[in-house]
Amino acid sequence: MARIRAAERRAELVAAAVRVIAAHGVDGATTRRIAEEASAPLATLHYCFATKEVLFAAVFEYLAGEYRDVLNRSDVHSDVQNTARGLLRGVLEWYLENPDFGATILELISWGQREGEQAEVVYASAFATMRTILEGTTTAAGRPVSSDMIDQLIYVVSALSDGFALNWLVFTDIAAARVQMELTVGVLDAWMAANLGGAAPSTQPVEITTEPDMRSLVSWVHVD
Amino acid sequence: MARIRAAERRAELVAAAVRVIAAHGVDGATTRRIAEEASAPLATLHYCFATKEVLFAAVFEYLAGEYRDVLNRSDVHSDVQNTARGLLRGVLEWYLENPDFGATILELISWGQREGEQAEVVYASAFATMRTILEGTTTAAGRPVSSDMIDQLIYVVSALSDGFALNWLVFTDIAAARVQMELTVGVLDAWMAANLGGAAPSTQPVEITTEPDMRSLVSWVHVD
Amino acid sequence: MARIRAAERRAELVAAAVRVIAAHGVDGATTRRIAEEASAPLATLHYCFATKEVLFAAVFEYLAGEYRDVLNRSDVHSDVQNTARGLLRGVLEWYLENPDFGATILELISWGQREGEQAEVVYASAFATMRTILEGTTTAAGRPVSSDMIDQLIYVVSALSDGFALNWLVFTDIAAARVQMELTVGVLDAWMAANLGGAAPSTQPVEITTEPDMRSLVSWVHVD
Amino acid sequence: MARIRAAERRAELVAAAVRVIAAHGVDGATTRRIAEEASAPLATLHYCFATKEVLFAAVFEYLAGEYRDVLNRSDVHSDVQNTARGLLRGVLEWYLENPDFGATILELISWGQREGEQAEVVYASAFATMRTILEGTTTAAGRPVSSDMIDQLIYVVSALSDGFALNWLVFTDIAAARVQMELTVGVLDAWMAANLGGAAPSTQPVEITTEPDMRSLVSWVHVD
DNA sequence: AATGAATGAGGCTTCATTCAT
DNA sequence: TATGAATGAAGCCTCATTCAT
């Protein structure tokens, strides 16, 4: 029972940390704020997690787990093109539905990089998850997909979803994001069509029916 | 004369801030560290920049300026495909040559979003720069490019370069990054070929001659 | 148990603040100095009082409490003239015995005025204390005292004691202050005799037996 | 010319200091704020006054001069009672018309006390001014006034005006202050009548025709 | 003579963490 | 086991003052 209580406390704290990081950034995520968000005394936080670093590592693992679940849920068990498209779309929609997660992940990237060690382990499994899913596929024409091509696919899906996430994080315009989602999937499709054989994408080309605020199509990263 | 000295000081401090943010993150970028990096007394920092916030805003503007310069330098004054490809490649190479800039930009994104106000002004001009460049182009076939298509192009270039930057930030493997660069440009080409008419990309398809550590093709963001 | 410790700490800090304010003025009363005076680490001060402002408010309340106690202790339960005289004398003697309190109160007056809000609450109760005491009295002749007269009495007692406190604060000559005390009480008596009916004051007219430094009878406020 | 310019600058800075001290207190009266209030560069302040201490001393002297002028202007050249009453009333009205002066004087009292040395000189001249005026008088009955009585008078006038000033500083209710002014003069008259011979005061007893907010008759110093 | 630039010292506050119960 | 109390280190910022022109 006490064990369960402790595990619950830990989970609450991790969830609170996600929210606080999303709202205040890594540097604004103080132990006090996190404890308060979790309605826990400050000392309890350090009772559950020896160190802030340890807590953040747990947040890290939690988000990684969610990410893996999303990937697995998005596996459509089809040919490589449909599968890759499904993975991409699944990730994008996940970002859309959980804005906190995207923000927190972005915040933790640089933190994780500086921390270094513990992240390495996690990278491999991330790679493994996508790879495992894609290795079970063939092209629409039934040909097997080369290992190299899978790596390239993983990179493209990854880069596109990261780019999308950044935009969605910065602008919060849901309408623009939905358009960008279709556009993003279209980019993947175009690349796969050119590199995985001629099958036309099964999704329609982007049709912007609503006229969203086009300005927000552009990430502010491209500042001048 | 004295003015110049002050302007220099400001520039030094901004440069120091870029380095410190890149190395220690936004939260690790304390005024003390920045001042030390710039070999300036702490009080001098506050003489030049009333507030840490103001300093960061200056860093912001500085990076934005660099970004705009990169874009303008990358304008190949050709048809829309070559121009867009040039912009993308220019940005990617800029990231490659200035790892600090990429890291700092990423770090500042969430900061800038939380700060909010001052970023808005910058977005519009970012849009304008790319747009100005692309509006002067036609397709290889000589047809004009619709305004909507330009917006989509801007988003795609933006998303791809963001995705690339994230990967390059996390892994620091220059060899892998060079491969990813070609791959990224290839993605843009494929999308343009499918959406801007049939002209084949003038760059060769990706040829991975070196065998980079493929694991690092995948951003750890895709953790599981 | 732990609670008691915390309360003690708070009391110690408030007492230290009184001493430091008296010695160094409001602006010289730095958190560091106060903490040092209380033999407490600086951080502890901020654990007990979120803000310097909050600490000063506590000092405020403490002094107010002492003042109220002095007033109540000085209630001679006699006719209005003796009672008012007792209040005035009690306050003056309190100032004489606790020079720190007078200095601190004076220092805090302007601070409290600038802070504004929290003082308002206190005023009403100050009024109430003197009023409660005086309302229970009649004139020596047994006539009731009008509400308006009580207000005037309160002002006169107040102004005289303030004037006395200022002089005592500036000169530190105890001998002169004792003479001034009698003189001050004499002023009140003269006014009451003229306005509350003919009973002669029960104290003798001022007899300056010692020849104090007369220069110090004059507040330096009257500088030229 | 340059000399005049410098003298003007000094006067401006002193006047600015009075305003700033009144508004922000001694501790809030920073060199920067004072310079800004005087529309002068910060360095100019230190060019005109070697030290903040020196500036404040000048403020001190300025206020003392004003005070002396007020006293001299209030000299009615009549018998001792009328003269003393005139002095008191003159001072009270001066406070009423120049709220900044009262606040600044109060702020500077404790500062001056801590600084110590330079104030001593000034005290004597303050004493001298009132004394000079009062020594030229006789009682209404034509009898000379003893030196001791003059000292007592000076103290009473001083204490009453100080008490009045404190109240006026704290409450800013002009209506209440006017009532208190009459009341204060009445107190002096009662005391003089009792101690300087039988002549009834030439002012009417206090008649409160308007019903001011009586609460503000009580200085909050008398807090409980 | 004037004043922008620069700075050491110190202001208040908050942090992550440990202690003591 | 849990948690109020306590704290050293460090955060950002502002002060009065001096320097250099």
Side-chain angles (χ1 to χ4, degrees):
Chain A
M1 190 69 100
R3 289 243 105 170
I4 290 177
R5 198 81 60 61
E8 276 172 13
R9 264 285 159 85
R10 286 175 62 93
E12 280 168 20
L13 285 165
V14 166
V18 170
R19 271 173 270 136
V20 171
I21 292 175
H24 301 277
V26 164
D27 54 319
T30 66
T31 51
R32 242 191 279 275
R33 258 208 270 250
I34 294 170
E36 195 178 355
E37 174 79 24
S39 304
L42 175 56
T44 296
L45 187 150
H46 280 92
Y47 180 67
C48 295
F49 298 95
T51 278
K52 196 192 185 187
E53 199 172 296
V54 172
L55 168 60
F56 276 21
V59 172
F60 219 100
E61 274 181 56
Y62 168 67
L63 291 173
E66 295 291 305
Y67 203 104
R68 188 193 52 219
D69 291 350
V70 167
L71 288 175
N72 284 326
R73 274 204 307 274
S74 305
D75 181 0
V76 295
H77 301 285
S78 174
D79 61 64
V80 68
Q81 295 198 13
N82 279 321
T83 301
R85 187 187 306 113
L87 291 180
L88 178 58
R89 190 180 288 275
V91 170
L92 301 191
E93 275 174 346
W94 182 62
Y95 278 135
L96 230 47
E97 286 158 19
N98 303 82
D100 279 4
F101 286 14
T104 304
I105 284 178
L106 184 67
E107 288 285 342
L108 279 178
I109 283 181
S110 25
W111 176 84
Q113 190 198 17
R114 276 193 299 279
E115 231 54 33
E117 296 321 303
Q118 85 242 13
E120 294 289 342
V121 182
V122 173
Y123 296 178
S125 99
F127 174 78
T129 301
M130 292 191 90
R131 200 160 223 291
T132 299
I133 292 173
L134 290 171
E135 271 175 346
T137 64
T138 61
T139 63
R143 272 173 297 164
V145 188
S146 77
S147 178
D148 176 54
M149 181 53 71
I150 289 180
D151 282 329
Q152 294 191 37
L153 248 183
I154 290 175
Y155 170 75
V156 173
V157 168
S158 151
L160 285 172
S161 66
D162 286 356
F164 173 84
L166 265 174
N167 264 277
W168 165 231
L169 172 69
V170 170
F171 308 93
T172 328
D173 187 340
I174 183 81
R178 295 226 91 97
V179 175
Q180 291 172 349
M181 190 167 80
E182 297 308 322
L183 186 50
T184 302
V185 172
V187 173
L188 175 64
D189 276 328
W191 183 78
M192 291 194 296
N195 292 76
L196 282 169
S202 60
T203 42
Q204 312 83 305
V206 187
E207 291 192 19
I208 301 172
T209 47
T210 64
E211 187 68 24
D213 178 5
M214 270 304 137
R215 203 198 47 177
S216 59
L217 269 171
V218 180
S219 159
W220 73 259
V221 174
H222 298 153
V223 137
D224 69 328
Chain B
M1 191 77 90
R3 285 249 112 157
I4 288 175
R5 203 67 128 286
E8 274 171 18
R9 272 284 201 216
R10 286 176 62 94
E12 279 169 23
L13 284 164
V14 166
V18 170
R19 272 175 269 135
V20 172
I21 292 176
H24 300 276
V26 163
D27 55 319
T30 66
T31 51
R32 246 192 274 275
R33 259 206 272 250
I34 294 171
E36 195 178 356
E37 174 79 24
S39 304
L42 179 54
T44 296
L45 186 151
H46 278 94
Y47 175 70
C48 294
F49 298 95
T51 281
K52 196 193 183 188
E53 203 171 288
V54 172
L55 169 59
F56 277 19
V59 172
F60 217 97
E61 272 181 58
Y62 167 67
L63 292 173
E66 294 292 305
Y67 203 106
R68 186 196 53 220
D69 291 349
V70 167
L71 288 176
N72 284 326
R73 274 203 307 274
S74 305
D75 182 0
V76 295
H77 300 286
S78 174
D79 61 64
V80 67
Q81 295 198 11
N82 280 319
T83 300
R85 188 186 305 113
L87 292 180
L88 178 58
R89 189 180 289 275
V91 170
L92 301 193
E93 275 175 346
W94 182 63
Y95 278 135
L96 230 46
E97 286 159 20
N98 304 81
D100 281 4
F101 285 16
T104 304
I105 285 180
L106 185 69
E107 288 285 342
L108 281 178
I109 285 181
S110 25
W111 176 84
Q113 191 198 17
R114 272 195 297 281
E115 232 55 32
E117 296 319 305
Q118 83 241 19
E120 294 289 341
V121 181
V122 174
Y123 295 179
S125 98
F127 174 79
T129 300
M130 292 191 90
R131 198 160 225 292
T132 299
I133 291 174
L134 291 172
E135 269 174 347
T137 65
T138 61
T139 63
R143 273 172 296 163
V145 188
S146 77
S147 178
D148 176 54
M149 180 54 72
I150 289 180
D151 283 329
Q152 295 191 36
L153 247 182
I154 289 174
Y155 170 76
V156 172
V157 168
S158 151
L160 286 172
S161 66
D162 286 356
F164 173 83
L166 263 175
N167 265 277
W168 166 230
L169 170 70
V170 170
F171 307 94
T172 329
D173 187 340
I174 182 81
R178 294 227 91 96
V179 175
Q180 291 171 348
M181 188 167 82
E182 297 309 322
L183 185 50
T184 303
V185 172
V187 172
L188 175 64
D189 274 329
W191 183 77
M192 290 195 295
N195 291 78
L196 283 168
S202 61
T203 42
Q204 312 85 304
V206 188
E207 291 193 19
I208 300 171
T209 50
T210 64
E211 185 68 23
D213 177 5
M214 270 304 139
R215 201 198 47 178
S216 61
L217 269 170
V218 181
S219 159
W220 72 257
V221 174
H222 299 152
V223 134
D224 69 327
Chain C
M1 192 78 92
R3 286 248 111 156
I4 288 176
R5 204 68 128 287
E8 274 171 17
R9 272 285 201 217
R10 286 177 63 96
E12 279 169 22
L13 285 164
V14 166
V18 169
R19 271 174 271 135
V20 171
I21 292 175
H24 300 275
V26 163
D27 54 319
T30 66
T31 51
R32 247 191 273 275
R33 260 207 269 250
I34 294 171
E36 196 177 355
E37 173 79 23
S39 304
L42 179 54
T44 295
L45 186 152
H46 278 94
Y47 175 69
C48 294
F49 298 95
T51 282
K52 194 193 184 188
E53 203 172 287
V54 172
L55 169 59
F56 277 20
V59 172
F60 216 100
E61 272 181 56
Y62 167 67
L63 291 173
E66 294 292 304
Y67 203 105
R68 186 196 52 220
D69 291 350
V70 167
L71 288 175
N72 284 325
R73 272 204 306 274
S74 304
D75 182 0
V76 296
H77 300 286
S78 173
D79 61 66
V80 67
Q81 296 199 11
N82 280 319
T83 301
R85 187 187 307 114
L87 291 181
L88 177 59
R89 188 180 289 276
V91 170
L92 301 193
E93 274 174 346
W94 181 63
Y95 278 135
L96 229 48
E97 286 159 20
N98 304 82
D100 281 2
F101 285 15
T104 304
I105 284 180
L106 185 68
E107 288 285 341
L108 280 178
I109 284 181
S110 25
W111 176 84
Q113 192 198 16
R114 273 195 298 280
E115 233 54 34
E117 296 322 303
Q118 83 241 18
E120 294 289 341
V121 182
V122 175
Y123 296 179
S125 98
F127 174 78
T129 300
M130 290 191 92
R131 197 161 226 293
T132 298
I133 291 173
L134 291 171
E135 270 174 345
T137 65
T138 61
T139 63
R143 271 172 299 162
V145 187
S146 77
S147 177
D148 175 55
M149 181 53 71
I150 288 179
D151 283 328
Q152 295 192 36
L153 247 182
I154 289 175
Y155 170 75
V156 173
V157 168
S158 152
L160 285 172
S161 65
D162 287 355
F164 172 83
L166 265 175
N167 264 277
W168 165 231
L169 171 70
V170 170
F171 309 93
T172 327
D173 186 339
I174 182 81
R178 295 227 90 96
V179 174
Q180 290 171 348
M181 189 168 81
E182 296 309 320
L183 185 50
T184 304
V185 172
V187 172
L188 175 64
D189 275 327
W191 183 77
M192 291 194 295
N195 291 78
L196 282 168
S202 63
T203 42
Q204 312 84 303
V206 187
E207 291 193 20
I208 300 173
T209 48
T210 63
E211 186 69 22
D213 177 7
M214 269 305 137
R215 202 197 50 179
S216 61
L217 268 171
V218 181
S219 160
W220 71 257
V221 175
H222 298 153
V223 136
D224 68 326
Chain D
M1 188 70 100
R3 290 241 103 169
I4 289 176
R5 198 83 56 66
E8 274 172 14
R9 264 288 157 85
R10 286 175 61 93
E12 279 168 21
L13 284 165
V14 167
V18 170
R19 271 174 271 134
V20 172
I21 292 174
H24 299 277
V26 164
D27 55 320
T30 66
T31 51
R32 240 191 281 277
R33 256 207 272 251
I34 294 170
E36 195 178 355
E37 174 79 23
S39 305
L42 175 56
T44 295
L45 186 150
H46 280 92
Y47 180 67
C48 294
F49 299 93
T51 278
K52 196 190 183 188
E53 199 171 298
V54 173
L55 169 59
F56 276 21
V59 172
F60 220 99
E61 274 181 55
Y62 168 68
L63 291 172
E66 295 291 305
Y67 203 104
R68 187 192 52 222
D69 291 350
V70 167
L71 288 175
N72 284 327
R73 274 203 308 274
S74 305
D75 183 359
V76 294
H77 300 285
S78 173
D79 61 63
V80 68
Q81 296 200 11
N82 279 321
T83 301
R85 186 187 304 113
L87 292 180
L88 177 59
R89 189 180 288 276
V91 170
L92 301 192
E93 273 175 348
W94 181 63
Y95 278 135
L96 229 47
E97 285 159 20
N98 303 82
D100 280 3
F101 286 14
T104 303
I105 284 179
L106 184 66
E107 288 286 340
L108 280 178
I109 283 181
S110 24
W111 176 84
Q113 190 199 16
R114 276 193 297 280
E115 231 55 31
E117 294 322 303
Q118 86 242 14
E120 294 289 342
V121 182
V122 174
Y123 296 177
S125 98
F127 173 79
T129 301
M130 291 190 90
R131 197 160 226 293
T132 299
I133 293 174
L134 290 171
E135 271 175 345
T137 63
T138 60
T139 63
R143 273 171 299 163
V145 187
S146 77
S147 178
D148 175 54
M149 180 55 70
I150 289 180
D151 282 330
Q152 294 191 37
L153 247 183
I154 290 176
Y155 170 76
V156 172
V157 168
S158 151
L160 285 172
S161 67
D162 287 355
F164 173 83
L166 265 175
N167 264 278
W168 165 231
L169 172 69
V170 169
F171 307 93
T172 330
D173 187 341
I174 183 82
R178 293 225 94 95
V179 174
Q180 291 171 350
M181 189 168 81
E182 297 309 322
L183 187 49
T184 302
V185 173
V187 172
L188 176 64
D189 276 328
W191 183 78
M192 291 194 295
N195 292 77
L196 283 169
S202 62
T203 41
Q204 313 83 306
V206 188
E207 291 193 19
I208 300 171
T209 49
T210 63
E211 186 69 23
D213 178 4
M214 271 303 139
R215 202 197 46 175
S216 60
L217 269 171
V218 180
S219 159
W220 73 258
V221 175
H222 298 154
V223 136
D224 68 326

